Amino acid sequence: MALFKQRENLLDVDPFTDLLFNALLTFTFLFLIALLLMNPTAKSGIINPKAELMITVSWPDNSPDDIDTWVEGPKGQMIWFKRPQEGLMHLDRDDRGAVNDMQLIDGKEIINPLNQEIVTIRGRPPGEFTVNIHYYRSQTLKAVPVTVYLAEVNPTLKVLHYATTTLQRESEERTAVRFSITPNGQVTDINTLQKSLVLGGKI
């Protein structure tokens, strides 16, 4: 009889203990939710460049030829491979054709076929910008089609200019695009009027 009563006592539920247990479960659940909100899952594949304008210069994949990008700003300041940063202008990626294209991925050597240079302008200083392409070194001794892409990236992506210019021989320089920024930050007067930056007026 005593054993039976002990089993009945074990089966009895204390309301206060039950309330504390449920409160603990609720607190734990809310704590986990708060942690998730403070640390949202990273969104892979999303690039948020800290720039106002982006200039992309590309030429055929796997080409061993070296094309260089030169950009002149409103006050005559210039960037190129030997001076990749000047004020708000940045040469973020300098591509040398087939040079340094070997990459180690998962222990295997992979050749990166992409030929691309990227310039960002991290502000909107008023004045004119000139973007030139220069056939720096040729291994194929052939003409190279070079595509230049100008876009606003802030607040949303907007393509302003997209065109392909063919460089016929080593040392040739061409103006790919020129544009101006107004005092209120608007991009205007997009054109391809030629202006030499590399060769000192020899275009």
Side-chain angles (χ1 to χ4, degrees), residues 55 57 66-73 76-96 117-120 130-136 173 196-199:
I55 301 157
V57 175
D66 187 357
I67 306 298
D68 282 336
T69 306
W70 290 60
V71 181
E72 181 185 53
Q77 68 274 39
M78 283 197 292
I79 60 168
W80 74 102
F81 68 92
K82 287 188 177 180
R83 190 180 185 92
Q85 179 178 339
E86 181 64 45
L88 298 174
M89 302 187 303
H90 299 256
L91 178 60
D92 292 333
R93 185 173 194 271
D94 175 35
D95 196 305
R96 299 171 60 193
E117 297 202 342
I118 298 173
V119 172
T120 54
T130 302
V131 181
N132 280 18
I133 50 177
H134 179 228
Y135 201 156
Y136 181 74
E173 175 191 6
S196 178
L197 302 180
V198 185
L199 304 177

